[in-house]
Amino acid sequence: MSTTQLIKRLFTVKEYHQMIEAGILTKDDKVELIRGEIVQMAAVGRRHTSHGKRLTELFYTRLLSRVTIGVQDSVELDDTSRLMKS
């Protein structure tokens, strides 16, 4: 029996944005680019929402006068990772 080697294609943030501009990906696609892979986002549950609200309150009360706070905003970490706004 022969084996087949699968080749994984990784993407850059630039290519990811080009897919959005071309309509290949839309805002309705719940995906993120993580280390070059397009990954389906998990549904946000009650625990996630609850922890997010608690952290947001903590950040606002302790850090507001020193930093700009963005809650669940999209962020580009490097050339191969872009986490989307939930």
Side-chain angles (χ1 to χ4, degrees):
M1 180 185 291
S2 66
T3 61
T4 302
Q5 181 72 26
L6 296 177
I7 299 172
K8 186 187 298 186
R9 168 66 160 92
L10 300 179
F11 299 96
T12 65
V13 170
K14 181 179 178 180
E15 292 169 322
Y16 182 80
H17 285 290
Q18 289 172 338
M19 285 186 260
I20 293 170
E21 290 170 12
I24 296 167
L25 296 173
T26 70
K27 65 178 182 176
D28 294 328
D29 293 315
K30 303 295 184 194
V31 296
E32 296 179 331
L33 181 67
I34 301 174
R35 294 184 182 151
E37 294 185 56
I38 297 173
V39 179
Q40 182 91 30
M41 291 172 40
V44 176
R46 280 189 302 199
R47 284 183 61 190
H48 174 98
T49 301
S50 176
H51 290 309
K53 288 178 181 179
R54 287 187 201 141
L55 284 170
T56 299
E57 184 177 334
L58 177 69
F59 292 154
Y60 272 107
T61 58
R62 300 226 177 137
L63 301 173
L64 186 58
S65 62
R66 293 182 278 167
V67 298
T68 300
I69 299 170
V71 179
Q72 295 189 357
D73 292 338
S74 301
V75 62
E76 288 183 20
L77 303 175
D78 57 28
D79 288 343
T80 63
S81 297
R82 176 157 172 51
L83 307 178
M84 299 300 291
K85 183 177 181 179
S86 41

